[in-house]
Amino acid sequence: MKNKTNQHNDRAGGLQEKRPDARAEFERELALEQAQERERAEKAKRGRLIWLAVGIVLIAANLRGALTAVGPVVGRIKDDLSLSGAGAGMLTTLGLLAFAVISPVAPKLSRRFGAENTLLAGMALITVGDIVRAAPNAALLFAGTVLIGVGIGLGNVLVPALIKRDFASRAGLMTGIYSVALTLVAGIASGVSIPIADAPGFGWRGALGVWGLASALAMVAWLPQVSRGRRERVVRSSALASARPWRSPLAWQVSLFMGFQSIIFYVNVTWLPELLQDRGMSPGTAGWMLSLMQIVGLPANFLAPVLAARRPSQRGIMAVVMAMLLVGYAGLLFDSGAGPLTVAWVLLIGVGAGASFSLCLVFFSLRARTATEATELSGMAQFVGYLVAAIGPAFIGFVHDSSGGWQTPLVVMVVVVALAALFGLGSSRAAFVSSASERVSPDSTGADTK
């Protein structure tokens, strides 16, 4: 009897061992559901970031083209409106002054309305400005330029901050993509400006106004970011104060580097076609040389921030870039023709200018610890930088008119490159703009930037 009872118990125990434990089964199902939820969240995040990257690229495509389209047709504008060299240079200078004025305001607008909404407003201003300056009125040409400058200035400040916020682990790569998109369209705008102006019914006004279509497209593509973007929370006053870089010597070096490398770019897009035409090139060829100068810098635009993000100090990269610019301008200074050597000097300037611009952009991320600090540094650097840069095109036009040639303006540009090298090497050291930023906690950073 005892043996039968033991056998029955053994069989029951075996059945119990084979029967799944309800609690363990529940935990497995819960873990599976949580894993699936995380996977869905990761896919949604990747999709959001991809669409954000597309939006950033389309915004970047509108942050230079409306201005670089001016250089190839500046001679026609001067003749049509009877402008002096300095007056024509004001078409670029006004845009740069607008950059400078809006730059310190942009971080405040971002905190008040959200970065996504502020960038949409920037694209709207560019669209309206492109339409206004195409009107048959000289005053509206300058008024439209101001509107374009304000819109571009908002993008200049806020896009690097978005890269720091949403692509922190890939800041160098995303900065490279952003810089390439910006430079590529800027180069295309220079190249197609003359052909569009020569098309029946367009003229130079049509060549400038057509860029409103590109900014309107960017607005449409950016709308999903506005609908899902959340209004940024105002950070604690102590955290915000620690993000202000105005007392940092490094922030001033970044800002002045921004200024002098911007002088190089905007003097090129304003006056290089005129210089080449005065040396014997046709207007169409001179316009495409400006386009080539920008497009040839695209590999450097992409590689410079990627390489910079991999090392704490960027002084070696900066030294090579500044040497290219110095050789290029010295070559133009001593070569008064328009032959193959001239093309070589322009290409060197294009590579150096492209790399220096993207290095400046990536400094906003590399020299800052948080997205708030990156936004404030970007605002300060572009306020100071574009105030400095605003002097360039009009001053070079004045020097050209006074000297009657391009030799003296080119000497000025060699000095500008030397100053850019000085502040660029200072900006390249392994440091952050404010040691006080170390006190910002991860929690406050997240609250501030999301």
Side-chain angles (χ1 to χ4, degrees), residues 227-277:
S227 64
R228 77 165 61 96
R230 291 169 295 178
R231 183 170 161 183
E232 300 171 21
R233 287 184 285 171
V234 178
V235 295
R236 296 194 305 256
S237 58
S238 59
L240 181 58
S242 69
R244 292 173 181 163
W246 290 89
R247 295 184 180 181
S248 166
L250 177 58
W252 279 100
Q253 289 176 321
V254 172
S255 300
L256 290 171
F257 175 60
M258 177 75 193
F260 286 106
Q261 69 84 25
S262 294
I263 287 178
I264 293 168
F265 177 80
Y266 287 104
V267 166
N268 286 340
V269 300
T270 304
W271 294 116
L272 182 65
E274 281 283 287
L275 182 154
L276 297 176
Q277 289 176 54

Side-chain angles (χ1 to χ4, degrees), residues 373-447:
E373 194 168 89
T375 305
E376 296 293 332
L377 174 59
S378 179
M380 172 187 170
Q382 297 193 61
F383 170 69
V384 175
Y386 286 123
L387 278 181
V388 173
I391 301 169
F395 181 70
I396 291 297
F398 170 76
V399 172
H400 172 259
D401 289 348
S402 300
S403 64
W406 290 105
Q407 296 303 100
T408 305
L410 286 170
V411 171
V412 173
M413 292 307 298
V414 170
V415 174
V416 168
V417 172
L419 291 170
L422 174 67
F423 294 113
L425 290 170
S427 302
S428 301
R429 70 181 188 272
F432 295 99
V433 295
S434 174
S435 59
S437 64
E438 295 175 355
R439 295 195 294 271
V440 179
S441 69
D443 290 341
S444 67
T445 301

